[in-house]
Amino acid sequence: MSPTSAPLLDVSALHALIDEIGQEGRPLVLLDVRWALDGSKGEHDHLAGHLPGAVYVDLGTELAAPARPEAGRHPLPDPADFAATLRRLGVTEDSRIVAYDDTDGGPAARLVWMLRALGHEASVLGGGLHAWNGPLESGPVTPEPGDVPVRDWPADRIASADEVARSPPPGRPS
């Protein structure tokens, strides 16, 4: 199963998707991935104001395993832990997922890559929270639990640090 949706959506495409999915009855899951390494951004920002229905996901604790010297600062989480996170977020097998943050899109892009690597339909909202032109909600959002199974990370989409170091720079032949 390979995602067919665009990996990046602008706000007008998100509004169209909200309308389309509302007619189909297919679940749309909006995920707020506001995060900063120094802890200055996170769930407190989500609670103060987020896209309607968006659920908060923490990059440091839910989208990464604990840091280890041999694995780096934010290694991929264990597949069972990630599946449990997705179920808590309300992700189902047929969900369409849009993630956003309030920076350069890096935190949201990490989640979208993880989801797409596992075959989920997922996109980043270009411009993130700042691009949203509708009302915001405040307070926590608790979705109905999702039903995604545990899936192993696909080996063909992951490179070790050693493999990356041995690769030629982009644009240079190997």
Side-chain angles (χ1 to χ4, degrees), residues 70-143:
E70 72 279 5
R73 181 183 293 161
H74 292 110
L76 290 173
D78 177 81
D81 293 341
F82 187 55
T85 292
L86 294 179
R87 289 190 294 270
R88 181 194 68 77
L89 298 171
V91 175
T92 63
E93 283 295 291
D94 64 339
S95 292
R96 179 67 168 80
I97 304 149
V98 176
Y100 69 91
D101 57 49
D102 66 353
T103 59
D104 62 2
R110 176 188 174 92
L111 173 58
V112 167
W113 177 86
M114 292 166 68
L115 291 163
R116 291 174 74 89
L118 296 176
H120 294 282
E121 293 291 331
S123 301
V124 172
L125 174 60
L129 182 67
H130 305 295
W132 180 248
N133 56 5
L136 295 177
E137 288 182 348
S138 60
V141 175
T142 306

Side-chain angles (χ1 to χ4, degrees), residues 32-102:
D32 183 340
V33 196
R34 284 182 273 178
W35 178 85
L37 185 58
D38 67 3
S40 62
K41 297 181 182 188
E43 189 171 19
H44 60 279
D45 297 299
H46 171 80
L47 294 172
H50 52 82
L51 272 62
V55 182
Y56 178 72
V57 58
D58 185 273
L59 185 148
T61 61
E62 296 179 300
L63 303 183
R68 299 184 321 273
E70 72 279 5
R73 181 183 293 161
H74 292 110
L76 290 173
D78 177 81
D81 293 341
F82 187 55
T85 292
L86 294 179
R87 289 190 294 270
R88 181 194 68 77
L89 298 171
V91 175
T92 63
E93 283 295 291
D94 64 339
S95 292
R96 179 67 168 80
I97 304 149
V98 176
Y100 69 91
D101 57 49
D102 66 353

Side-chain angles (χ1 to χ4, degrees), residues 9-20 28 30 51 97-98 100 125 132:
L9 291 179
D10 64 23
V11 73
S12 63
L14 176 56
H15 282 292
L17 184 62
I18 290 168
D19 293 342
E20 173 189 326
L28 173 64
L30 298 174
L51 272 62
I97 304 149
V98 176
Y100 69 91
L125 174 60
W132 180 248

